[in-house]
């Protein structure tokens, strides 16, 4: 019978090869997704059992696979391959075994966060010929620990040993209960197969370890990639180094697996002071300094030129120095194994300065530490950016180590250790996770700048619980009230030099004398200095003048006496004085002081997170004695100051502005003029109303706000009508109650803050020259109407403020005051509240319109845009319950006409 002729194999076209590869790898990815779905239901205990079984199996077969890797690839050293296999099993397992990778992995009850780990999905694992079995172990263990599936593409020159390594850990995992097909690999490797795998849309991420071509292909695949870069690392041998150790470490590193680990030193930069000693000992220990005539033939054989520089030719990586020399046609003595060549830093970029992946080493001489850094930086910039650099130095705590680390662009700075083994972590250092995938950061076009591990292969879901941040109530250390409480000045500790800030009225009518009288009674004499000319609506320049006078006097106590203007001027003056004493300001430089003020006046949303820090005063304590019943400045962290140039009022806010002592003595308000009583009383009412409806209001502030509101409604008219020349018990009590009400309102808004009633008044007052309390009264009914709405409201974001309740809050005030009943709707209650406020302002002769107080419509319209922006940017705006839009602020301004 005739023998049949065999049919010749049909060569597939490129398109057919691509289609076949896409179909084949698509099936692998499909099975892997099914495995991931099963894996998602595993507990941490089940996962840990599987990983432990895999690590043990890998360790058992370590030497066998080392032999297989060297036999198949012809590269490396069996003993070192065995070390790498044990590293990839034992060291890696030890590092990851306690990692939480399933379910809730972290919880912070204070922050209200829960972090939940989920697998990425299907990984594509690229394995190089340099570490064919250890990398397969490493990536398999990480995939199992994170409940991912992995599909490998092994290097064609290491297909058998790599697939055997994967088979060993896969079978161990299955026996321990792992899902089928969570580890798979391409059986017949080819470029088409690898390309199809990394471009498959079902791949969650690519673990790309290999040559630059493969890493670049992974980065351009369209899928996320966790890759590495060229490892042209260099070590700087400092003049202080232990030369014997430096030589031993360097030769150990270059000999380890024939220099194939990417972290291995490719160049040594040696300080000139020890250069000769270093070179002598290197050669004594088995290194060979190649004659310069042999540089070119060696370079021509080892390297091939590529667009981005020179690269090692395929056959060279992991070969012995003797083999490389023979192939290059150069002679190396029999007892030498590491080949050295001395190069010039001017020629960095030549072939021999490139990554070598073999026992070849460039040597550069450095004349200084700075030049050493320069050479290392140049080597990394040429090839190896971000990978690793090293230093051998006498004392590891030498400050130069940090300088070197800062200036060298490498993700790993290894100190006094062999780079090849040090860079992978664990053995020589605990500072890095053991890993066989070493990120190079943005310098090397990587998304990682650390050693890849489990946390890189997890999706972390963050459950962010709504959290009400810890709140506080901050007030002066001591608050004294009742008639004649000024007598506390006799007992106030630590008073030797007192600086008094007051307005001219306080001096003229003897109020400053009352303070001096109390200080004179003290057993030890108190030196005093007085600034007694504070103007209404004090300016920054006035506060600076006060600070300069303080600096000349150097007080230990500042006593602010008067209305809001004197208290605020004293607060800011003392703040500037303290800043100058700290060296944070220069009282002789007006421009820098203006700049400081602009920084301190910066708006913030959360006082605890403000960008600008107010320093704690340490030179002088502050005592505030209010002589009007309105601002509450004696107990608040606020101070309003006017810009000299723009005439804009800025409210500064920080708890460092809060006085240490407040003395609320009603004797000081018995002769206050009626107009001041009316304006300051409405200001206090606004403090109480705004703090009650503020997004920062709490159970600690609301009762104080309500009591202040009650006292004001019940006493403001009587206080206004009180005639000091014809004193009555009822009138005096009304003034005393108003004085207490103002402080109570201050205590409330010191901790709950204010709203746009004050934002509007700050800006209209500054623009139109209106007294603050008057500007407050004009804006008040319009602000209440604006805030007291329901339905589609843009509310100010604040965690404690759960639902918009401004209308309800105003209604609560109205019902508390008896202006509405429980049966009345919130709308009716708010309407009644506004009506009662109108009755109150009428009773104290306040016209609550801008035009009624001399403001022209065309003036308002001309400045409307500017004013609206200033109102929005005012420090009081963020706590307002309704977040105003700029256009809404413009309408609020027009409504006041």
């Amino acid at each position: 019978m005739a023998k049949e002729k065999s049919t010749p194999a049909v060569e597939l076209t490129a398109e057919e090869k691509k289609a076949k590869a896409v179909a084949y790898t698509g099936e692998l990815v499909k099975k892997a997704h099914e495995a991931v779905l099963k894996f998602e239901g595993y507990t941490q205990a089940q996962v840990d059992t599987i990983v432990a079984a895999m690590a043990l199996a890998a360790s058992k077969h370590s030497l066998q696979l080392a032999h297989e890797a060297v036999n198949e690839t012809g590269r490396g050293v069996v003993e070192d391959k065995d070390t790498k296999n044990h590293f990839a099993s034992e060291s890696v397992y030890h590092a990851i075994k306690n990692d939480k990778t399933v379910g809730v992995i972290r919880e912070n009850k204070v922050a209200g966060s829960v972090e939940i780990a989920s697998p990425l999905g299907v990984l594509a694992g690229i394995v190089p010929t340099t570490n064919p079995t250890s990398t397969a172990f490493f990536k398999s263990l990480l995939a199992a620990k994170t409940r991912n599936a992995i599909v490998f593409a092994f290097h064609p020159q290491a297909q058998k040993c790599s697939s055997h390594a994967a088979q060993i850990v896969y079978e161990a995992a299955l026996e321990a209960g792992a899902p089928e097909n969570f580890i798979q690999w391409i059986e017949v490797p080819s470029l088409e197969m690898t390309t199809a795998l990394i471009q498959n849309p079902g791949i969650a991420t690519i673990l790309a370890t290999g040559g630059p071509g493969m890493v670049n292909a992974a980065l351009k695949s369209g899928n996320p990639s966790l890759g590495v870069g060229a490892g042209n690392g260099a070590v700087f041998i400092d003049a202080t180094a232990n030369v014997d150790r430096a030589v031993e470490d360097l030769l150990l590193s270059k000999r380890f697996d024939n220099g194939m680990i990417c972290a291995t030193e490719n160049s040594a930069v040696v300080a000139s002071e020890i250069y000769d000693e270093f070179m002598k000992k290197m050669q004594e220990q088995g290194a060979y300094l190649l004659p310069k005539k042999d540089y070119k033939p060696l370079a021509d054989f080892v390297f091939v030129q590529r667009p981005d520089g020179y690269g090692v030719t395929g056959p060279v990586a992991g070969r012995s120095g003797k083999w490389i020399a023979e192939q290059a046609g150069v002679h190396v003595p029999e007892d030498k194994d590491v080949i050295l060549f001395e190069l010039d830093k001017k020629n960095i970029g030549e072939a021999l300065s490139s990554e070598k992946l073999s026992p070849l080493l460039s040597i550069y001489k450095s004349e200084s530490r700075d030049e050493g850094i320069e050479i290392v930086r140049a080597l990394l910039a040429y090839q190896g950016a971000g990978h690793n650099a090293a230093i051998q130095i006498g004392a590891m705590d030498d400050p130069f180590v940090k300088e070197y680390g800062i200036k060298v662009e490498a993700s790993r700075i290894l100190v006094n250790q062999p780079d090849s083994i040090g860079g992978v972590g664990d053995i020589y250092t605990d500072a890095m996770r053991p890993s066989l995938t070493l990120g190079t950061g943005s310098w090397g076009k990587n998304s990682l700048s650390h050693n890849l591990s489990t946390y890189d292969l997890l999706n972390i879901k963050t459950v962010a619980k709504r959290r009400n941040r810890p709140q506080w109530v901050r007030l002066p250390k001591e608050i004294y009230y009742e008639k004649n409480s000024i007598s506390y000045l006799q007992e106030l500790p630590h008073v030797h030099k007192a600086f008094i800030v007051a307005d001219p009225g306080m001096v003229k009518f003897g109020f400053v004398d009352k303070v001096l009288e109390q200080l004179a009674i003290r057993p030890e004499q108190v030196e005093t200095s007085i600034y007694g000319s504070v103007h209404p609506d004090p300016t920054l320049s006035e506060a600076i003048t006060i600070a300069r006078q303080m600096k000349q006097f150097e007080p230990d106590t500042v006593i602010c006496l008067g209305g809001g203007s004197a208290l605020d001027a004293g607060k800011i003056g003392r703040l500037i004085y303290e800043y100058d004493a700290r060296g944070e300001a220069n009282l002789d430089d007006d421009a820098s002081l203006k700049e400081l003020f602009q920084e301190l006046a910066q708006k913030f949303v959360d006082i605890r997170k403000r960008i600008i820090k107010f320093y704690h005063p340490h030179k002088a304590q502050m005592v505030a004695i209010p002589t009007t019943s309105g601002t509450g400045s004696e107990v608040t962290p606020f101070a309003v100051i006017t810009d000299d140039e723009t005439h804009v009022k800025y409210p500064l806010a920080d708890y460092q502005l809060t006085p240490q002592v407040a003395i609320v003595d009603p004797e000081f308000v018995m002769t206050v003029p009626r107009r001041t009583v009316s304006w300051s009383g409405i200001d206090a009412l606004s403090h109480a109303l705004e703090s009650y409806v503020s997004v920062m209001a709490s159970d600690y502030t609301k009762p104080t706000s309500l009591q202040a509101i009650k006292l004001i409604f019940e006493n403001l008219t009587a206080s206004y009508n009180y005639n000091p020349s014809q004193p009555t018990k009822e009138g005096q009590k009304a003034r005393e109650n108003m004085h207490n009400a103002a402080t109570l309102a201050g205590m409330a808004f010191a901790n709950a803050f204010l709203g746009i009633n004050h934002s509007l008044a700050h800006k209209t007052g500054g623009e139109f020259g209106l007294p603050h309390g008057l500007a407050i009264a004009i804006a008040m009914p319009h602000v209440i109407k604006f805030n007291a709405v329901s339905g589609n409201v843009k509310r100010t974001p604040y965690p404690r403020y759960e639902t918009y309740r401004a209308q309800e809050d105003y209604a609560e005030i109205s019902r508390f005051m008896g202006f509405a009943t429980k049966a009345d709707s919130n709308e009716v209650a708010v309407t009644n509240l506004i009506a009662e406020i109108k009755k109150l302002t009428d009773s104290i002769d306040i016209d609550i319109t801008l035009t009624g107080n001399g403001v022209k419509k065309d003036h308002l319209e001309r400045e409307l845009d500017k004013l609206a922006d200033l109102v929005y940017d005012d420090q009081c705006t963020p706590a307002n319950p309704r977040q105003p839009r700029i256009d809404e602020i413009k309408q609020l301004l027009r409504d006041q006409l």
Side-chain angles (χ1 to χ4, degrees), residues 837-846 848:
I837 292 172
K838 180 62 166 63
K839 291 179 185 177
L840 184 62
T841 54
D842 286 346
S843 73
I844 54 177
D845 300 322
I846 294 179
I848 55 172

Side-chain angles (χ1 to χ4, degrees), residues 426-665:
D426 188 59
I427 297 174
Y428 277 86
T429 178
D430 292 327
M432 294 181 295
R433 275 261 180 149
S435 177
L436 289 170
T437 300
L438 313 183
T440 59
S442 61
W443 302 295
K445 306 302 181 185
N446 266 203
S447 56
L448 301 179
S449 59
H450 56 261
N451 291 7
L452 181 137
S453 193
T454 53
Y455 37 71
D456 299 302
L457 302 182
L458 292 169
N459 284 321
I460 307 298
K461 305 174 186 176
T462 299
V463 178
K465 298 178 181 178
R466 187 187 186 106
R467 180 172 68 93
N468 295 338
R469 296 184 178 91
Q471 301 299 303
W472 58 74
V473 174
R474 294 188 182 179
L475 297 169
K477 178 183 175 183
E478 297 167 317
I479 301 174
Y480 292 86
Y481 59 97
E482 298 286 3
K483 292 179 179 180
N484 300 312
S485 53
I486 192 177
S487 60
Y488 175 66
L489 290 177
Q490 300 174 28
E491 305 170 19
L492 179 66
H494 313 301
V495 183
H496 303 284
K497 300 181 73 175
F499 188 95
I500 301 171
V501 180
D503 60 57
M506 296 298 102
V507 177
K508 179 179 179 181
F509 296 110
F511 291 108
V512 170
D513 290 337
K514 291 184 178 182
V515 171
L516 296 174
E517 288 171 4
Q518 297 300 318
L519 294 175
I521 297 173
R522 295 174 65 91
E524 295 183 4
Q525 182 180 357
V526 177
E527 293 182 56
T528 59
S529 179
I530 302 170
Y531 182 91
S533 55
V534 175
H535 296 87
D537 300 325
T539 61
L540 176 61
S541 62
E542 186 166 23
I544 293 171
T545 300
I546 293 171
R548 287 171 176 161
Q549 188 173 330
M550 286 184 185
K551 183 176 182 180
Q552 291 178 346
F553 182 64
E554 294 188 332
D556 54 41
T557 303
V558 174
I559 300 174
C560 301
L561 177 70
S565 295
L567 269 58
D568 288 353
K571 284 183 175 183
I572 302 299
R574 178 237 196 174
L575 180 73
I576 297 171
Y577 162 62
E578 293 275 358
Y579 266 65
D580 177 78
R582 288 180 61 96
E584 300 289 339
N586 182 358
L587 270 171
D588 297 323
D589 186 345
D590 287 350
S592 69
L593 292 173
K594 177 67 178 291
E595 185 177 342
L596 171 65
F597 165 71
Q598 290 173 338
E599 288 183 356
L600 296 177
Q602 288 296 308
K603 181 181 176 182
F604 60 84
V605 175
D606 188 329
I607 195 169
R608 293 159 302 186
K609 299 177 182 178
R610 66 180 313 152
I611 299 169
I612 302 302
K613 178 180 175 60
F614 279 62
Y615 292 105
H616 180 70
H618 67 285
K619 293 279 287 184
Q621 61 182 326
M622 183 162 60
V623 180
I625 307 173
T627 61
T628 60
S629 305
T631 69
S633 184
E634 67 275 5
V635 291
T636 74
F638 286 91
V640 179
I641 204 78
T642 300
D643 188 298
D644 294 85
E645 298 173 3
T646 65
H647 307 294
V648 173
K649 291 184 178 181
Y650 290 96
L652 272 65
D654 194 273
Y655 287 105
Q656 303 304 335
L657 293 173
T658 305
Q660 282 70 53
V661 178
I663 298 177
V664 187
D665 191 334

Side-chain angles (χ1 to χ4, degrees), residues 22 25-37 40 119-125 148-151 181 184 195-207 221-224 459:
V22 168
T25 56
E27 187 62 27
L28 295 179
V29 173
K30 179 183 176 183
K31 291 178 181 178
H33 272 290
E34 293 171 355
V36 171
L37 290 175
E40 284 185 345
L120 298 182
V122 179
L123 311 176
N148 290 296
I150 188 166
V151 180
N181 298 318
Q184 299 176 88
T195 301
L197 175 64
I198 63 177
Q199 291 181 354
N200 188 294
I203 294 297
T205 198
I206 304 164
L207 304 184
S221 67
N223 285 319
N459 284 321

Side-chain angles (χ1 to χ4, degrees), residues 211-227:
M214 180 51 64
V215 172
N216 287 333
L219 292 172
K220 298 174 182 177
S221 67
N223 285 319
S225 177
L226 301 175

Side-chain angles (χ1 to χ4, degrees), residues 318-329:
R319 298 286 188 170
S320 69
K322 182 177 177 57
W323 183 91
I324 293 171
E326 289 175 351
Q327 300 302 311

